[in-house]
Amino acid sequence: MDLAYIPSPSTGVIHLGPIPLRGYAFCIIIGVFVAVWLGNKRWIARGGTAGTVADIAVWAVPFGLVGGRLYHVITDYQLYFSEGENWVDAFKIWEGGLGIWGAIALGAVGAWIGCRRRGIPLPAYADAIAPGIALAQAIGRWGNWFNQELYGKPTDLPWALKITAGPNREAGLYHPTFLYESLWCVAVALLVIWADRRFKLGHGRAFALYVAAYCAGRVWTEYLRVDEAHHILGLRLNVWTAIIVFVLAVVYMVISAKVRPGREEIVEPKAAEKDAKEKAEKDEKADAEGAKADAEGDAKKDADGDDAPRDEAGEASADAPAEDADAKDGADKPAGAGGR
């Protein structure tokens, strides 16, 4: 008797009247929102403007979804185009099946289009959203839990995942590879955030670090999986993809650090122009206020200078009668003494 295990949902969809609410879709949507939210905060901290990340995501997300689905359908074409299968199922993205490799590749194309339209360097944008993408993957992997897919080998560990019988799956307890990868993606996001703060990564190196770290974890989680996959030289196709992409990411980090060290000073030219304009207006206002204060000081000084002569004249006129009185008293006294 198994005393501890992770249960699987009895269904991956809840019907709200005629509207189906699918857990897989909710996980993808929540992941996108988290990625945009965190990316926006990091973009603003780099000197960009609020809303830019979301504007570019309007291009990147649809491209990413299409790319992810294309990669899955192409690499697992037998699920849709072999005898007895219905090719229409290839369009049923809500039933699961998104390849992260295709999602990142084609999503980058969409991001490039969005960045180009706003005059923003793609590497700087990629650095800002890298941790958010990792968190989006961590959340999105729970969609596989709802669909009871992408689990690992049988196990009797306390955290084993209970899978019920269904199409192309047997009931039993398996490694919860969705959970392993989800936790790994959270660790990758934290690693990128820490490294970016510590080493001031720029020119796409934060994104490359995310790619390399994710690939390192994907190799061992992929090794545990038992779902059908193509093999090359005894290794699953996704393992080879992870190894190749890992090497490319590391090479890019090394070369980029030598060719373009440091970090971009300006990530969004329009934001920099706006800041410069606001600074100029602020300086101009400060200069105007300073000139006004100087003028008021000069006017007050002139006013004080004009009052001084009047005071002296006023004192002279006030002393004159006193001097005349003294002179008169002096004249009277000598006259009296000489008569005697």
Side-chain angles (χ1 to χ4, degrees):
M1 179 178 179
D2 299 307
L3 299 179
Y5 58 83
I6 300 174
S8 291
S10 58
T11 179
V13 57
I14 299 175
H15 290 274
L16 187 62
I19 302 175
L21 304 178
R22 303 183 182 277
Y24 186 87
F26 270 115
C27 290
I28 298 297
I29 293 172
I30 294 173
V32 169
F33 273 105
V34 170
V36 171
W37 169 77
L38 181 57
N40 183 65
K41 292 189 65 175
R42 288 172 52 81
W43 185 252
I44 294 174
R46 287 287 304 274
T49 58
T52 296
V53 170
D55 291 342
I56 297 176
V58 170
W59 289 89
V61 172
F63 273 75
L65 291 175
V66 173
R69 188 61 175 178
L70 282 176
Y71 181 89
H72 167 72
V73 172
I74 291 173
T75 56
D76 291 314
Y77 62 88
Q78 73 281 355
L79 300 177
Y80 308 101
F81 301 104
S82 59
E83 185 178 355
E85 302 294 343
N86 187 359
W87 64 270
V88 177
D89 293 340
F91 297 95
K92 297 179 180 179
I93 191 173
W94 56 86
E95 293 183 354
L98 287 175
I100 185 61
W101 317 111
I104 295 296
L106 209 55
V109 174
W112 175 79
I113 295 174
C115 287
R116 186 176 178 83
R117 289 167 60 89
R118 298 181 70 99
I120 293 172
L122 177 60
Y125 179 82
D127 285 341
I129 65 173
I133 294 178
L135 290 180
Q137 288 179 251
I139 297 171
R141 274 307 178 197
W142 285 86
N144 301 132
W145 176 62
F146 279 100
N147 287 353
Q148 296 195 47
E149 59 184 359
L150 306 186
Y151 45 85
K153 299 175 181 179
T155 182
D156 56 357
L157 293 171
W159 55 84
L161 175 67
K162 185 175 183 179
I163 296 295
T164 60
N168 301 319
R169 67 173 187 253
E170 296 181 3
L173 297 177
Y174 301 88
H175 276 285
T177 52
F178 84 91
L179 178 60
Y180 298 159
E181 188 167 335
S182 179
L183 295 175
W184 181 262
C185 287
V186 172
V188 170
L190 295 176
L191 170 65
V192 174
I193 292 173
W194 171 82
D196 193 28
R197 292 177 178 176
R198 175 67 176 80
F199 302 105
K200 304 297 182 184
L201 301 177
H203 301 287
R205 289 189 288 276
F207 184 82
L209 175 61
Y210 143 71
V211 172
Y214 171 74
C215 289
R218 181 63 184 265
V219 169
W220 67 270
T221 57
E222 192 73 23
Y223 174 76
L224 290 174
R225 284 168 52 173
V226 294
D227 54 300
E228 185 178 357
H230 295 286
H231 288 72
I232 301 175
L233 300 178
L235 294 178
R236 293 167 65 97
L237 175 60
N238 282 333
V239 173
W240 283 111
T241 304
I243 293 173
I244 294 172
V245 175
F246 172 84
V247 173
L248 292 176
V250 172
V251 170
Y252 175 86
M253 291 179 65
V254 173
I255 296 177
S256 175
K258 293 182 178 179
V259 176
R260 293 188 295 179
R263 175 187 281 182
E264 301 92 336
E265 295 183 0
I266 298 177
V267 297
E268 191 167 358
K270 290 184 178 180
E273 293 174 0
K274 182 181 178 181
D275 292 340
K277 183 178 179 181
E278 291 178 352
K279 185 177 183 300
E281 292 177 351
K282 185 177 180 180
D283 292 342
E284 184 178 351
K285 183 178 180 181
D287 292 341
E289 291 177 352
K292 182 179 179 181
D294 292 341
E296 291 177 351
D298 292 340
K300 182 177 180 181
K301 186 181 295 183
D302 292 342
D304 293 341
D306 291 341
D307 291 342
R310 286 195 296 271
D311 292 341
E312 292 175 358
E315 292 174 3
S317 60
D319 292 343
E323 293 176 356
D324 292 344
D326 292 341
K328 183 177 179 182
D329 291 341
D332 293 340
K333 291 179 182 178
R340 289 191 183 91

